[in-house]
């Protein structure tokens, strides 16, 4: 493969194959070295910038992944895969507000992706966009049943806590308790909620 690159330094497949071989041998530094050579020799290659960003993410160097991920994304901004890589690099670099915008564009392409919705809910909560988190939770709750429904209702209660809307949290937790009446965690959360509503007598019973 190396000889193939010496003959043709513009051989995209040869670079990708060599990087994959290094990765299979757990030679991350060598894979990174080849990826850098790849982007230097072929700066117009989307695959080159994409693989370079992936390697940085895998090495735990997300901040270094942002720029190559961005270059790949700007070349093919409609690619879900490249959007995801760029969004992930931003998220891991603590640029969560920027990451959310990209995840939102992915959500528009695939609104049934529950894993993506869950990530958005978490990020909205982290950047204090709690109303948007509640909207997504409402969408998920439409078809949710059993334990899945209880988990979503608990998340909703946590968000209402963050908004100091304890009456709303109380109603949500009562719904959750009706679904899973033996959950000690739900009763504990319910007690905390009642305590914040100054209903100390019922709070003690819930605890």
């Amino acid at each position: 493969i190396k000889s193939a690159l010496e003959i043709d330094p513009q051989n995209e497949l040869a670079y990708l194959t060599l990087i994959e071989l290094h990765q299979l041998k757990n030679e991350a530094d060598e894979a990174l070295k080849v990826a850098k050579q790849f982007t230097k020799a072929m700066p117009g290659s989307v695959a080159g910038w994409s693989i370079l960003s992936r390697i940085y993410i895998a090495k735990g160097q997300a901040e270094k992944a942002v720029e190559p991920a961005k270059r790949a994304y700007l070349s093919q901004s409609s690619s879900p895969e490249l959007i995801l890589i760029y969004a992930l690099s931003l998220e891991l670099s603590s640029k969560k507000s920027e990451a959310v915008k990209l995840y939102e564009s992915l959500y528009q392409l695939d609104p049934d992706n529950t894993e993506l919705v869950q990530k958005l809910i978490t990020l909205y909560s982290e950047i204090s966009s709690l109303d948007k988190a509640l909207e997504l939770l409402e969408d998920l709750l439409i078809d949710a049943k059993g334990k899945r429904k209880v988990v979503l209702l608990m998340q909703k209660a946590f968000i209402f806590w963050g908004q100091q809307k304890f009456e709303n949290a109380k109603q949500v937790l009562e719904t959750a308790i009706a679904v899973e009446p033996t959950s000690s965690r739900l009763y504990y959360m319910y007690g905390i909620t009642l305590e914040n509503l100054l209903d100390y007598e019922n709070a003690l019973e819930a605890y």
Side-chain angles (χ1 to χ4, degrees), residues 23-38:
Q23 289 176 322
L24 289 172
K25 295 178 182 179
N26 292 317
E27 297 172 347
D29 290 337
E30 288 300 313
L32 178 60
K33 183 178 177 182
V34 175
K36 287 180 177 179
Q37 292 171 349
F38 185 3

Side-chain angles (χ1 to χ4, degrees), residues 11-55:
N11 190 329
E12 189 174 83
L13 180 58
Y15 280 114
L16 292 171
T17 303
L18 185 55
I19 289 169
E20 185 177 359
L21 287 173
H22 284 307
Q23 289 176 322
L24 289 172
K25 295 178 182 179
N26 292 317
E27 297 172 347
D29 290 337
E30 288 300 313
L32 178 60
K33 183 178 177 182
V34 175
K36 287 180 177 179
Q37 292 171 349
F38 185 3
T39 55
K40 185 176 181 181
M42 302 180 66
S45 170
V46 175
W49 293 112
S50 177
I51 194 67
L52 179 58
S53 63
R54 290 166 185 258
I55 291 171

Side-chain angles (χ1 to χ4, degrees), residues 152-196:
L152 294 172
L153 288 168
M154 286 170 66
Q155 285 185 296
K156 197 173 178 182
F158 280 128
I159 291 173
F160 281 136
W161 281 1
Q163 294 178 321
Q164 301 292 299
K165 295 180 179 179
F166 295 106
E167 189 61 47
N168 297 69
K170 176 187 173 184
Q171 294 171 12
V172 166
L173 289 169
E174 286 173 348
T175 302
I177 289 169
V179 177
E180 199 169 308
T182 60
S183 171
S184 58
R185 186 178 182 187
L186 283 175
Y187 280 106
Y188 182 72
M189 289 178 66
Y190 190 54
I192 292 174
T193 304
L194 292 174
E195 191 174 334
N196 278 279

Side-chain angles (χ1 to χ4, degrees), residues 39 43-44 46 49-50 66-76 86:
T39 55
V46 175
W49 293 112
S50 177
V66 172
E67 187 56 33
K70 181 179 180 179
R71 291 190 66 158
Y73 162 73
L74 290 175
S75 297
Q76 291 183 13
Y86 185 29

